[in-house]
Amino acid sequence: MGRNPYHPKPTDEDSSSASETDTLLAGVGYTVRSSDLHHVADRLEKLDSTIIAAAASGVPPEFLCSSAIHYNPSDLASWIDSLLTEVPPHSSPSLWTDATCLPPPSSFSIDAHRLGKEEDAGIRLVHLLMTCADSIQRDDLVLARSLIDEMRLLLPLIGVGYGIGKVSIFFLDALDRRISFLPQPTKTVLEDEILYSHFYEACPNLKFAHFTANQAILEAFNGCDRVHVIDLSLMHGLQWPALIQALALRPGGPPALRLTGIGPKTAKVGLRLAEFARSVGVPFTFQAVAAGRLDSVRVKPGEAVAINSVLQLHLLLSETGPIDSVLTLIRELRPKILTVVEQDADHNKPAFLDRFTEALFYYSTLFDSLAAGGGDGGCSAAAEVYLQREICNIVCCEGSERVERHEPMGRWRVRLGRAGFEPMHLGSNAFRQASMLLKLFSSEGYGVEEVEGCLSLSWHGRSLISASAWRARADSAVALVARHRYIIL
Amino acid sequence: MAGSNEVYANESRTVVPLNTRVLIHNFKVSYSMLRRQDGSFDRHLSEYLERKVPANAKPVHGVVSLDLLLDRSTNLLVRIYLPAPTVTGNELPQQALLSALQRPPSPNPFPVIIFFHGGSFAHSSINTTIYDILCRRFVTLCGGAVVISVNYRRSPEFRCPCAYDDGWTALKWASSQPWLRSGEDAKLRVFLAGDSSGGNIAHHVAVRAAESGIHISGNILLNPLFGGNERTESELELDGKYFVALGDRDWYWKAFLPEGADRDHPACNPFGPNGVKLDELPFPKSLLVVASLDLTKDWQLAYAEGLRNSGHEVNVIFREEATVGFYFLPNTNHYYEVMEEIRSFVNSN
């Protein structure tokens, strides 16, 4: 065979310029510029030797590297460089790197355990649902109606206990509503709040969102004496006791915390949070701001600002929606960090059938996780209603009425980039803590994934909800444009 | 020990392409941060560092994939890869995929490859990118195979025989699916395949299959993980060179084997002093790929010997100057020639 048995097959790398990435490594998940390969290889060797030498002298890798926080493992060059500065532990600068966008694939998982006679009916029902959606897209409402009738006949044959069966009923009902032109059921703020808190209890999704955002905010507030958190939708303020607690325990003492809560009826929540903050010794003031009035929020000079958006931004994405002006407003508040948590799903596709199908498989996974989660019966049922409303909105509504316009994290990355934000990568410590919490409080099947600095909660490998952190790019002009400051949220 | 690593760093530079070296060395370095002295494993950091890719119902180079939950009690997931089904009219990819799962046996025979990823029983999952790529390759390599990648439970959280049980569950499931059968006789034409620990699992699942009357068309073992109490020549000679150290191997065995067991346990050393006799069993033919710079090569060659002595056919592909992990990147003769061997093995059986 000879001393050097390999001959590179002709690939792009042979004629690539120095700034191009190695395509083979990119294919397996690592971004390394071809011109950096030697450097990275040398650094890996150096770290390896350091680890081996330390182990030989009695310091195993687990102690040598224990304080290291890892960021964006795909970027091997910066990962290895940052490790080498942390090992042995001396200065540990955190490295934020920009990353390229990946197109979101369309994926779903099915519970094969249910595959059998019962699931033949279930799969048939799924086919019919998609065919019905297709007929609606083509405006053939007569066919749609007859398919709905046929599907209702199938329902008794399917185990509607959980999985695709249960969620199919909700989609079937939604399709029925759509072609019957029934108006949307009226919602009250009280109902919203009750359903939200049951959803919060029934599964780890919102807890994951809150926890991950808090972790990022806490780190961003390091060394700041006066901090201001602006929550785009306060609800019950469930996210904040944990942050207040963490700030109270901060080495060196807590900062003075200002919380601005946007939404209906936030004053009572603010009072409760103020009491809690007082009880743990965190200087605290609360500002209530009416829903949709982000424009009336004021920041004080010298305070570090965190803006928190949990499942809010997608509501602004309709054709006439104010997403751009809201993002501009956010940037003008000069936040140190913007935390964004969104459903990781593509429910804003223009074509109805595409949207319908994506939603069918996403909510099927979500309902499966709810059912297997084994939360107490009461919470699960209300959580299902909470989700059913989202389904109805996605399937039945159009135009400005359709607010559940979920988009995958990849598209948010582009949009936020265009609006003048750059990503702050969530690191391995946030990952580890989220992962540990999941293990303690939730059923097997949940996982945490890291993709390009964002963390997402997944159920059997399918990403459900994604958390990310951002800051305004230094070069983006913060122009105070005199424009309409009126937003509908 | 620290010194010898220096000397042989030069060696790997000349036999391994640069990007492969970066890849495998990255694994070595990051894995070393995960193994703890007390036998525990930093699973959270491991999951964080792993590069993963989700299943995709949309064809990528003609292959689609989807994840199935086979067993809720053990959370056993598999990822199924198949040639992109023909989409009729306005059908969405998901619809076409669902239809494919409900097909009756196909008249045209196709192979089914049940694949067990490597990682020394502790690392990697079905959605780890290097393995997703490999499985996709197998689909097209074997002219439209269905590949089933098994997300077996890993050590140290789950010791032997959990991984074997999971492999067995996947095989039984595959045998129950009409859409996986093909040919005039509507048979399941299944191969068991795996690299590193996956190769070890493939062997043990094949034994169970042989004992239970499920016919396996062949075993494909890529650098399979075997060992024993004895230190072989290759282990001593290659220790610490070419990305693998003996101490690390020991750690993984200790994490996988039942508490208190040593490396002559039959899981680790199937033809050793505690081995099970395979002579009477209808054990499948094997294709065994051995890399000359893999420190466990002596155990792999001993495994081949053991198969032959039991009267079973094994084709050993011995790659001179190949290291572990040569099959991750398509940039060497080793890669292309071994893929060709796999293709012809599957097609002729």
Side-chain angles (χ1 to χ4, degrees), chain A residues 350-407:
Chain A
F352 177 70
L353 176 59
D354 287 345
R355 206 159 73 228
F356 182 86
T357 309
E358 289 281 332
L360 182 59
F361 287 106
Y362 176 81
Y363 284 97
S364 163
T365 307
L366 198 41
F367 272 77
D368 195 50
S369 73
L370 268 184
D376 88 84
C379 275
S380 289
E384 285 173 12
V385 175
Y386 175 87
L387 293 175
Q388 186 184 9
R389 281 176 165 198
E390 287 184 6
I391 293 171
C392 254
N393 188 270
I394 295 170
V395 173
C396 304
C397 298
E398 294 295 346
S400 57
E401 264 196 358
R402 179 156 60 89
V403 294
E404 296 296 348
R405 294 179 179 258
H406 312 146
E407 288 196 346

Side-chain angles (χ1 to χ4, degrees), chain B residues 140-285:
Chain B
T140 39
L141 181 73
C142 302
V146 172
V147 178
I148 301 169
S149 186
V150 182
N151 207 40
Y152 57 87
R153 282 167 292 170
R154 298 168 297 187
S155 55
E157 298 95 324
F158 298 99
R159 294 178 176 268
C160 163
C162 292
Y164 303 155
D165 291 343
D166 290 345
W168 177 238
T169 303
L171 177 59
K172 276 192 304 188
W173 174 82
S175 345
S176 72
Q177 298 299 301
W179 67 280
L180 286 176
R181 295 162 182 273
S182 60
E184 282 174 3
D185 44 357
K187 259 181 44 177
L188 175 69
R189 298 157 196 287
V190 64
F191 294 79
L192 299 177
D195 74 309
S196 161
S197 50
N200 176 294
I201 296 171
H203 165 82
H204 288 285
V205 173
V207 172
R208 272 181 93 163
E211 287 167 347
S212 316
I214 295 186
H215 172 74
I216 307 287
S217 304
N219 272 8
I220 301 164
L221 309 190
L222 278 168
N223 303 358
L225 206 54
F226 295 113
N229 285 347
E230 189 198 327
R231 298 302 196 190
T232 64
E233 207 183 298
S234 67
E235 285 174 317
L236 296 170
E237 192 202 312
L238 295 173
D239 183 9
K241 308 158 190 175
Y242 306 109
F243 314 118
V244 186
L246 201 47
D248 307 341
R249 294 282 111 237
D250 290 350
W251 188 97
Y252 290 114
W253 284 122
K254 198 140 179 263
F256 173 70
L257 296 169
E259 305 260 12
D262 64 19
R263 290 188 304 275
D264 279 340
H265 186 282
C268 177
N269 196 355
F271 292 111
N274 304 311
V276 160
K277 288 249 167 285
L278 296 187
D279 301 57
E280 305 300 311
L281 290 177
F283 195 80
K285 298 184 204 177

Side-chain angles (χ1 to χ4, degrees), chain A residues 69-290:
Chain A
I69 298 178
H70 305 252
Y71 294 96
N72 201 1
S74 285
D75 184 346
L76 272 184
S78 60
W79 177 75
I80 189 71
D81 281 343
S82 103
L83 270 184
L84 276 168
T85 64
E86 301 214 36
V87 168
H90 281 299
S91 59
S92 48
S94 54
L95 286 171
W96 311 116
T97 39
D98 218 89
T100 47
C101 214
L102 289 173
S106 107
S107 68
F108 65 107
S109 72
I110 306 176
D111 183 357
H113 189 62
R114 324 253 2 126
L115 280 181
K117 278 162 286 202
E118 194 185 88
E119 193 57 19
D120 283 343
I123 292 188
R124 173 144 181 75
L125 179 57
V126 169
H127 269 295
L128 286 174
L129 280 168
M130 292 196 271
T131 309
C132 183
D134 177 56
S135 64
I136 291 177
Q137 179 169 280
R138 289 180 294 105
D139 252 331
D140 188 348
L141 299 189
V142 171
L143 176 57
R145 169 56 60 197
S146 78
L147 284 168
I148 287 178
D149 294 338
E150 193 184 332
M151 284 192 272
R152 293 223 181 268
L153 292 176
L154 258 188
L155 280 180
L157 299 175
I158 301 163
V160 295
Y162 59 98
I164 205 107
K166 177 162 250 174
V167 82
S168 297
I169 295 183
F170 292 141
F171 277 88
L172 176 52
D173 284 343
L175 285 173
D176 202 339
R177 287 195 83 85
R178 186 183 172 108
I179 67 172
S180 310
F181 299 106
L182 289 173
Q184 283 304 290
T186 46
K187 306 196 294 180
T188 65
V189 168
L190 182 60
E191 264 174 30
D192 275 352
E193 292 184 350
I194 291 175
L195 291 176
Y196 179 92
S197 65
H198 280 107
F199 182 68
Y200 181 88
E201 289 302 326
C203 60
N205 303 30
L206 289 176
K207 294 171 197 137
F208 166 83
H210 294 169
F211 176 78
T212 314
N214 282 347
Q215 184 69 25
I217 293 172
L218 197 61
E219 284 179 33
F221 281 170
N222 244 343
C224 303
D225 288 326
R226 291 182 309 114
V227 303
H228 181 185
V229 174
I230 302 167
D231 190 350
L232 295 191
S233 172
L234 186 67
M235 276 298 199
H236 309 277
L238 294 169
Q239 180 170 350
W240 305 119
L243 182 70
I244 294 171
Q245 182 89 39
L247 288 172
L249 296 172
R250 204 168 75 155
L257 170 63
R258 230 166 42 100
L259 175 65
T260 298
I262 301 177
K265 303 184 350 188
T266 55
K268 257 201 320 206
V269 176
L271 265 173
R272 268 203 328 260
L273 289 172
E275 267 172 44
F276 178 73
R278 194 167 25 247
S279 74
V280 295
V282 175
F284 180 86
T285 54
F286 179 79
Q287 176 83 46
V289 167

Side-chain angles (χ1 to χ4, degrees), chain A residues 1-9 13 22 24-25 27-30 37-38 40-42 44-45 47-49 51-53 60-62 65 70-74 76 79 83 105-113 115 120 123 126-127 130-131 134 138 162 349 353-354 357-358 361 368 372 426-428 431-432 435-436 439 444-445 449-450 455 459-461, chain B residues 1-2 5-6 9 11-23 25-30 32-33 35-38 42-45 47-52 54-58 66-72 75 77 90-99 101-102 127 129-130 133 157 173 177 319-321 328-334 336-337:
Chain A
M1 193 98 285
R3 190 80 182 86
N4 221 355
Y6 84 95
H7 68 85
K9 295 266 162 171
E13 303 150 59
D22 183 283
L24 292 188
L25 285 179
V28 291
Y30 296 98
L37 278 174
H38 278 288
V40 173
D42 287 344
L44 281 166
E45 249 172 69
L47 181 58
D48 198 12
S49 309
I51 289 175
I52 291 174
E62 64 200 88
C65 309
H70 305 252
Y71 294 96
N72 201 1
S74 285
L76 272 184
W79 177 75
L83 270 184
S106 107
S107 68
F108 65 107
S109 72
I110 306 176
D111 183 357
H113 189 62
L115 280 181
D120 283 343
I123 292 188
V126 169
H127 269 295
M130 292 196 271
T131 309
D134 177 56
R138 289 180 294 105
Y162 59 98
K349 294 183 153 169
L353 176 59
D354 287 345
T357 309
E358 289 281 332
F361 287 106
D368 195 50
L426 301 172
S428 59
F431 182 98
R432 178 193 303 279
S435 203
M436 279 172 11
K439 259 205 166 49
E444 294 285 327
E449 317 276 335
E450 183 278 342
L455 295 188
W459 174 252
H460 288 308
Chain B
M1 187 69 335
N5 198 55
E6 283 294 326
E11 287 282 340
S12 71
R13 275 178 210 164
T14 52
V15 295
V16 176
L18 184 55
N19 46 13
T20 301
R21 189 150 68 92
V22 165
L23 182 68
H25 215 162
N26 164 57
F27 291 153
K28 178 178 194 240
V29 164
S30 54
S32 66
M33 295 186 242
R35 298 184 296 263
R36 299 198 193 103
Q37 285 200 308
D38 65 355
D42 193 343
R43 180 62 63 193
H44 303 293
L45 184 57
E47 291 301 300
Y48 178 79
L49 293 175
E50 289 264 344
R51 303 295 80 202
K52 303 187 191 203
N56 199 346
K58 293 211 180 83
L66 88 142
D67 292 341
L68 282 194
L69 182 64
L70 292 197
D71 186 337
R72 212 173 259 284
N75 280 306
L77 269 179
N90 284 327
E91 239 187 351
L92 288 175
Q94 292 95 329
Q95 284 175 292
L97 203 37
L98 280 181
S99 301
L101 296 191
Q102 289 195 289
N127 55 1
T129 317
I130 43 171
I133 300 272
E157 298 95 324
W173 174 82
Q177 298 299 301
R319 302 299 307 187
E320 282 292 352
E321 302 202 318
F328 289 139
L329 299 183
N331 56 3
T332 57
N333 276 349
H334 299 304
Y336 290 100
E337 290 170 20

Side-chain angles (χ1 to χ4, degrees), chain A residues 414-470:
Chain A
V414 172
R415 188 176 275 111
L416 287 163
R418 269 206 314 258
F421 294 94
E422 63 185 6
M424 298 168 74
H425 286 184
L426 301 172
S428 59
N429 50 346
F431 182 98
R432 178 193 303 279
Q433 295 191 50
S435 203
M436 279 172 11
L437 270 182
L438 276 182
K439 259 205 166 49
L440 282 178
F441 296 115
S442 306
S443 61
E444 294 285 327
Y446 284 108
V448 186
E449 317 276 335
E450 183 278 342
V451 179
E452 298 190 48
C454 305
L455 295 188
S456 42
L457 176 71
S458 65
W459 174 252
H460 288 308
R462 204 308 189 184
S463 168
L464 297 177
I465 183 173
S466 230
S468 57
W470 306 82

